[in-house]
Amino acid sequence: MLYHVRMDVHLPPDLAPAERGDIIAREKEYSQKLQREGRWPHLWRIAGEYANFSILDVADHDELHALLSGLPLFPYMNIEVTPLAMHPSKIAD
């Protein structure tokens, strides 16, 4: 199943620099692993925001929830999820 996901990050301003750096490094490692596995095929930065639009390709809602809640930045995110379906006018690949 494909999902369009918007993730907005809101790190606390008083977060210690070392902790901030650690969380961001773990987030990058985790997200790149999922990209290499094909479960996170698209990732775009939203210009001017600490946010992204992503397309995730997972088996079901439960796998999506596990993937998102496993993000190191998850406690600091607002996440909006939209399930996607094939459009009948799309030209097949």
Side-chain angles (χ1 to χ4, degrees):
M1 296 182 71
L2 294 177
Y3 297 88
H4 174 270
V5 181
R6 179 181 172 130
M7 299 177 220
D8 292 89
V9 180
H10 304 283
L11 288 171
D14 61 345
L15 190 64
E19 186 176 353
R20 175 181 163 78
D22 177 63
I23 291 170
I24 291 171
R26 289 187 293 118
E27 181 83 9
K28 183 176 182 177
E29 181 180 341
Y30 181 75
S31 69
Q32 289 181 348
K33 174 183 178 287
L34 295 169
Q35 290 172 66
R36 284 189 287 277
E37 293 172 354
R39 296 194 291 164
W40 197 329
H42 299 282
L43 172 60
W44 294 279
R45 166 80 63 210
I46 301 173
E49 299 181 36
Y50 194 175
N52 72 74
F53 284 128
S54 294
I55 300 296
L56 300 172
D57 188 0
V58 295
D60 55 31
H61 303 323
D62 292 328
E63 183 180 355
L64 177 69
H65 180 75
L67 183 153
L68 293 174
S69 62
L71 290 165
L73 287 172
F74 180 77
Y76 308 106
M77 289 182 167
N78 291 334
I79 299 175
E80 295 178 20
V81 175
T82 304
L84 301 174
M86 186 64 63
H87 194 283
S89 297
K90 181 185 183 301
I91 298 172
D93 292 335

